[in-house]
Every structure is written in structure tokens, then in C-alpha cells.
Amino acid sequence: MILEERPDGAGAGEESPRLQGCDSLTQIQCGQLQSRRAQIHQQIDKELQMRTGAENLYRATSNNRVRETVALELSYVNSNLQLLKEELEELSGGVDRGRHGSEAVTVPMIPLGLKETKELDWSTPLKELISVHFGEDGASYEAEIRELEALRQAMRTPSRNESGLELLTAYYNQLCFLDARFLTPARSLGLFFHWYDSLTGVPAQQRALAFEKGSVLFNIGALHTQIGARQDRSCAEGARRAMEAFQRAAGAFSLLRENFSHAPSPDMSAASLCALEQLMMAQAQECVFEGLSPPASMAPQDCLAQLCLAQEAAQVAAEYRLVHRTMAQPPVHDYVPVSWTALVHVKAEYFRSLAHYHVAMALCNGSPTEGELPTHEQVFLQPPTSSKPRGPVLPQELEERRQLGKAHLKRAILGQEEALRLHALCRVLREVDLLRAVISQTLQRSLAKYAELDREDDFCEAAEAPDIQPKTHQKPEARMPRLSQGKGPDIFHRLGPLSVFSAKNRWRLVGPVHLTRGEGGFGLTLRGDSPVLIAAVIPGSQAAAAGLKEGDYIVSVNGQPCRWWRHAEVVTELKAAGEAGASLQVVSLLPSSRLPSLGDRRPVLLGPRGLLRSQREHGCKTPASTGASPRPLLNWSRKAQQGKTGGCPQPCAPVKPAPPSSSKHPGWP
């Protein structure tokens, strides 16, 4: 407690009444926060109960009309849950709606909600597989299984920051290890993975581990969108961080779209993922614009700067128009929230009007030099109704520039009024006061400038304002998420190196055998590390007499497990054995079992990368939507299908390759 001395010196050691008041206010605020948290938890529990009842009805009924009604209810519940969890996260992190102390007002972004999942019991299938295939006591791996379950439980509710991303990527990398170690073309884990659609809230389930991996990768991208939306974009550094987050999100969705097909939930379909990619790249482009336009330091007389901002704003408007066209078409139109489509449409109109406003500022306030005129003329496009050949459109005279600037201001005002009208049509957007404040502030600024230019004796014919040429100095590209940042050791590393000890290989355990030293040594040649391989056995030697063969792997020396030992460590241990010899245990790889024939109905996978060949083969029980397709639900790697199916309606941004330092992850092409 900070003590304050009274002026008369008689109050030393006593608390100031002002500080006591501060403490009381702090206690009241803390009490209000706790009360609000308790209310949110109660509302979340209520929504979860409603979702459980709706889900049971969705699975039980076969009436299409009832299913559509329940699906709509699930969508509402899903939206409410995401809003409640977002508010709870803000309260827990001490973040309020007006968390940024800047006076600048920024346009709100669209974050994506995380997919939710149910609890999963890994214990039974993993213990059985370890006992049957690896020949070890499954109960001895109880600690590893508990660690995996704890990691999955934690990643269900990640924090909205870098720590949450590390948690999701850590679990994702463990899924890659599980895929490489425990899955074979003839065996699955036998678990049903339950996930809720992020856009519609409809439940889906599959036995394929690829569905679990894809859902986690989707959440990595969704969490990047939430991190980007929470940045303070009123400063250049905040705009840069937000842009990078949206680029990472686009990269995650691109990676998911390229490697998964026929997903069981709409949010992971190719069309939805393409729309999300385009949305994230548009928001990244908006961050580029915001990083260039600090409102306080912008000089209206700077022609080049104003025209640069005009083209940047036109570029953002073009990106959002592309996103709006994609969202307005089926099937994306059926999945994406109506408020998203409305907000994208509002932003397209707003940034197009903003481009005309900056051009008007350049024409009315600036005085371009003769050398700058060709640069200025490249900003404009000929009016769509003009049949004349393209030529210089920037007026030379000051009065003509004023008239053209006035025409651009008129288009800016009309666009801003249209944006406000579209904003008012959507009930959800009407509740976003911040967006209306941004547009209204820009409209008032445009009206004030127009009133300044409007003269009573102005009888000149109104000029026609041409469109603005979109152009940007920085075109954002989709960037791969940092999947290596959460990469840790394989939880089940005690089973041995994946190159040998996986469910894809079959082996026979030999020994322990006692190996003594002869006149020429042990009579074998060792090679490699982790595990050490018997590269050659001399005929008639002690090793040959003990039954060791070329190609065997040493897994134990004198009772010590050595699956992860290096070559030098095994050699040192054997040399230390002396005349008494050493006890070895080895494994001999067996020929691969036959591949399933066409008549087999066992689950067939596509190798370590993934996954479903057919819904029937994996016993998928995903509730089919109204327009469900009988095609396979989920495949990993669609290289064979390239050229047969069209991807995005428009080409999506290319994925920027990962830096050279990134390590390759198991389970990826």
C-alpha cells in the first residue's frame, strides 16, 4: 500500500482517503467482472444444453424439413457460443471493447470462430494397438496416453494469442506422429472424431484421423484471424501484425484446401475455404492501406501521397468486390453468415468512395508539377460509357481540376451514403456502432469539402469522374502457418524410431541371445543410428551361431533398451562386454502383408498422408445435409484429381513458401 504524508505531518502511516476510494472502486470493478463472468458461464452452459438437444434431434429425425429447422437453430446456437466465448476471453484478458487508447477509429474486421469438438478416449485403441502390434504392455504407456489426452483437452479452448497457436500446432504435430506410427492401409484407430461446423454449427463425425488433423489446421487458421482482428491497426506496427496474421490464416486455409477433399462439414469444403482465403487476403490488403494512412500526419496538399492512397483504396475495394461475388454464390451463400456478406459489401462501397475522396483531395488541394502529370494520369480509368480512345484525363487548368475534384467528391459522397444504407439493412451490422461511426465520419468530411467547393455562381457543366485504377505497392501473399513452432518430441517415442517401429512394418522379436567374442571378434558389422542395423554377419562366426542375420536391428544390449542409441554407443557397450560376452535382443523385419484386394471391405487409407477413400469403408456416420453428395467425404492430397475439379472461382493468392529453416512435418506431401 502506498502511504501519503499529510501536510501537517500528523498522518504518517495512514492511508489517503483518495487511495481508499481507488481501492473501493477497484473492488467494485473486480466484483462486476466476476459477476459478468459467472453470467457468461451460465449462458454458455445453457447454449451447450440447447445444442445437445438439437444435435440429438438432428441425428434422430429423417424429415428433411425438421432437419433444416434444427440446422438453422444449431447455426444460431453456434453464433451465440462464439460471441460469448469471445466476450469471456476479453474479460479474462482484461481487454475491453475500447482497448486501444488511440483516437483513430478503424473499420472492424471479420474473425472466424473456432471449430468445437467433444472429448475423446484414446486409451482403449492405443493400448490395444501397442499390445497387439508392438508386442509391449499397453498399460505401461498410460502416462503417454494421459499426456496426449491432456494436450487435446487443452487445445479445445486455446487462448487468443501466440500461446494458443503453439498449443494447437503442438497437438497437430502429435497427430502427424500418430498418423505415421499407428495407421496402416488396413487399420484405423477405430475412433470417431466429433467436430462442430464453424459456420453452421452442424455436428459431423468421422473415423479418419485426417478429419481430426484437418479440423485442428482449420482452427489454426481461425485463431490467426482472431489475433489479426484484435490488433490495434491505428498504428503502423499494429497494421503490420494484423496483416501477417491474416496472411497466415489464408495460408492455413490454402493448405487445407489443397490437401483435403470431400470434407464432411461445410466450413472445410473447397468452396468455403476458397472464400475464406479471399476474405483473409482482402483484410490483409486493407491492413496495407491502413499502414499507409496515418490520419494525423497526412498533408492534404501532397498530391502524390493522396493519389497513392486513392489507388490503394481502390485495390482494397476490388478485393472486397471479389469476396462479395464469391460469398453471394451457392454453395458458399448457404453457409456464410449473412452479416459477413453484408459487411464485405459495405466495405467494397466504402473503400471505393474513399478512393474518390483521396483523388478529390489531390485535385483540389494539390498543384502537380509538369513532371508529375504522367504519373497522375495513370491513376484514372476512362469512364465505362466513353467510346473515345484512352488519353490524358488530368486537367491542366486549376479550375478544371477543381471541377473534376468536385465530381470525385460527389461520387465519394454517393458511395458513402450507399455504404450507410447497406449497413442499415443488416440487423447484425446495425449493432456495430463502430462501423457506422467510421463511415459517418468520412461522409461528414466529404460533405464539408464539397460545401467548400460548391459556389453559387458555378454554372459549369458537371464533369464525369472516371474510375480509379487499383494499384498497390505491396500485394500480400498467403503465408504458411508456423507449424514447426509447436513441434516437440513424439509422445510415444519410447516405442522406437518411426522408420522401423510403426504399424506399417511387421517384425519378429528375437532374443535375448548371448553373443561371445571369438578370435575375430563378434563376427558382425554394424551400421547406422537409432536403431543400429546389423549390416553384415560373417558365416561361421559367433554372431551367425547365435542366429543373428543381416538386416536385423539391435533393440537391447545387456538388458538396456537401445532403440535410440547411436552407432558409437552400441559399439562401446559391446567392447565393454569383454570375454563374458553380451546379451542382445534384435528385431527382424518381415515381408509386408498383402494389400487389401478389391473385395476387401477393410478401411483403406492413402498411406501416411492420409486418408479416407470412401465413406462406406470407414463407417462414416456423418449426418448428411439436405443436398449431401454420395461421394467420398475426406481425402488427403488431391494431386490425382487436379484438372478434374475447379478450385476457386477466382485464382487464390499463392502460398508463400516456408523459410529454409522450417523442418518438414510427418504426414505432409
Side-chain angles (χ1 to χ4, degrees), residues 5-76:
E5 185 177 357
R6 301 172 69 108
D8 56 5
E14 296 181 4
E15 293 185 7
S16 166
R18 177 175 59 83
L19 292 177
Q20 292 178 356
C22 291
D23 290 341
S24 300
L25 179 61
T26 302
Q27 293 176 0
I28 293 175
Q29 291 177 343
C30 291
Q32 291 175 346
L33 286 177
Q34 293 292 347
S35 177
R36 180 56 186 158
R37 288 194 188 99
Q39 293 176 0
I40 293 177
H41 280 296
Q42 292 177 357
Q43 292 175 355
I44 289 177
D45 292 339
K46 180 180 178 180
E47 295 291 342
L48 289 175
Q49 293 175 2
M50 293 178 61
R51 186 175 71 177
T52 300
E55 180 184 355
N56 293 335
L57 179 58
Y58 186 88
R59 297 182 185 280
T61 184
S62 58
N63 188 304
N64 290 335
R65 181 172 297 180
V66 174
R67 290 172 68 88
E68 291 176 0
T69 304
V70 175
L72 183 61
E73 181 65 26
L74 284 170
S75 178
Y76 289 141

Side-chain angles (χ1 to χ4, degrees), residues 298-335:
M298 174 56 63
Q301 293 79 15
D302 191 344
C303 280
L304 288 178
Q306 292 287 353
L307 291 175
C308 176
L309 285 178
Q311 290 192 289
E312 291 285 352
Q315 181 68 38
V316 177
E319 297 285 346
Y320 276 119
R321 284 197 298 270
L322 174 62
V323 177
H324 182 256
R325 285 198 299 268
T326 303
M327 287 185 173
Q329 297 175 357
V332 181
H333 179 267
D334 301 329
Y335 306 142

Side-chain angles (χ1 to χ4, degrees), residues 36 39 76 91 116 142 173 176 345 349 465 524 609 630:
R36 180 56 186 158
Q39 293 176 0
Y76 289 141
L91 291 176
E116 295 187 16
E142 186 70 34
N173 287 319
C176 293
H345 196 184
E349 292 294 333
L524 50 79
R609 299 181 177 83

Side-chain angles (χ1 to χ4, degrees), residues 508-516 522 524 534 542-549 552 554 556-559 574 580-587:
R508 178 171 54 89
L509 187 63
V510 179
V513 297
H514 189 71
L515 184 63
T516 58
F522 291 106
L524 50 79
I534 299 178
Q542 299 294 329
L548 299 180
K549 298 179 181 179
D552 289 349
I554 301 177
S556 174
V557 179
N558 293 329
L574 290 178
S583 175
L584 299 182
Q585 195 171 25
V586 300
V587 295

Side-chain angles (χ1 to χ4, degrees), residues 185 188 207 597-598 600-605 611-620:
S188 67
R207 284 183 176 174
S597 64
L598 295 178
D600 291 337
R601 290 308 173 196
R602 293 176 292 177
V604 178
L605 306 179
L611 308 175
L612 262 189
R613 276 277 182 87
S614 74
Q615 180 178 0
R616 175 180 57 184
E617 291 171 348
H618 272 68
C620 179

